[in-house]
Amino acid sequence: MGCTEGRDVVPERCGCDGSELTKVTLEKGGCNRAFGARVVDTETKDVGLLIVRVTAGGALSKWNAVNPSMAIGPGDSIVEANGLTEPWAIMEEMARVVKVHMVVRRAPPGGKALLAQCKVTSQSLQTTALVLKQSVQACDVSVDTCAICLEDVEADERIAGLKCGHGFHHRCLMRWLGRRETASCPLCREAVH
């Protein structure tokens, strides 16, 4: 089955909790195209999944061109995608699907300050892609505790399950891999690819 260029645009604004929300439906333009939004999990409740870059040629930049008065950009945050609200669940969904229904909050308080601190490097993009690729349910790898933060993990919780059989919270593994020169499991030191 071939992929076709296409874009379904549904702009809508609403005010909630003093923040302005914009509802957007985006469709990737082809099999190997992207939504064109680089995001970072800020690990803060107020900001959540922060947009740090909008890539030219992606579905989001095309949406912005058609809707300049409602353009979405760095500092804004994605609060929902296809009904999902957790940052890592949203990132998994955006990596997996061709069409996404998003709710974006205009630069929330603290968003611009966090944006100045965010550095998106090739290494961080590769690490994020690696961790997303390893995503499984905790029960699939028999993990009940994240060995990095020592917090309990629910059986149906999505975690990063490594090939060595160990699993960790996505955020914990991202921090671990970001601090090391070589990517290896925190428990057995097996290389992570």
Side-chain angles (χ1 to χ4, degrees):
M1 177 194 287
C3 294
T4 59
E5 178 90 9
R7 177 173 76 235
D8 183 13
V9 179
V10 184
E12 181 181 329
R13 281 192 176 171
C14 62
C16 298
D17 301 321
S19 297
E20 188 177 293
L21 301 178
T22 302
K23 294 182 181 180
V24 180
T25 298
L26 300 174
E27 187 169 332
K28 293 179 185 177
C31 292
N32 296 317
R33 299 271 176 127
F35 290 115
R38 297 287 188 221
V39 295
V40 171
D41 178 8
T42 64
E43 300 183 35
T44 66
K45 187 174 183 176
D46 293 338
V47 178
L49 194 58
L50 182 71
I51 297 172
V52 295
R53 187 182 327 156
V54 175
T55 308
L60 185 55
S61 70
K62 291 177 182 177
W63 187 90
N64 283 343
V66 173
N67 301 282
S69 66
M70 296 172 37
I72 295 167
D76 294 342
S77 61
I78 301 172
V79 296
E80 183 180 310
N82 292 348
L84 302 169
T85 57
E86 293 296 317
W88 278 92
I90 292 171
M91 287 191 285
E92 279 184 38
E93 184 74 359
M94 290 178 73
R96 185 179 65 76
V97 301
V98 173
K99 188 174 187 176
V100 66
H101 304 280
M102 297 189 313
V103 177
V104 177
R105 181 175 49 218
R106 304 322 237 156
K112 293 290 185 185
L114 282 172
L115 181 62
Q117 298 172 14
C118 292
K119 304 266 189 284
V120 178
T121 64
S122 294
Q123 179 63 33
S124 67
L125 291 173
Q126 289 174 339
T127 303
T128 301
L130 173 73
V131 171
L132 285 170
K133 186 171 75 173
Q134 306 288 337
S135 190
V136 297
Q137 283 192 316
C139 62
D140 292 341
V141 289
S142 301
V143 171
D144 58 8
T145 303
C146 174
I148 297 173
C149 69
L150 302 178
E151 290 183 12
D152 289 340
V153 175
E154 299 296 323
D156 62 348
E157 188 174 340
R158 301 288 297 172
I159 63 168
L162 303 180
K163 290 180 183 177
C164 60
H166 297 119
F168 311 92
H169 288 122
H170 291 108
R171 292 175 178 153
C172 295
L173 187 59
M174 282 293 297
R175 278 190 230 119
W176 173 268
L177 295 174
R179 293 181 186 144
R180 307 290 181 271
E181 286 189 28
T182 58
S184 62
C185 173
L187 291 176
C188 68
R189 304 291 193 232
E190 183 176 316
V192 176
H193 337 299

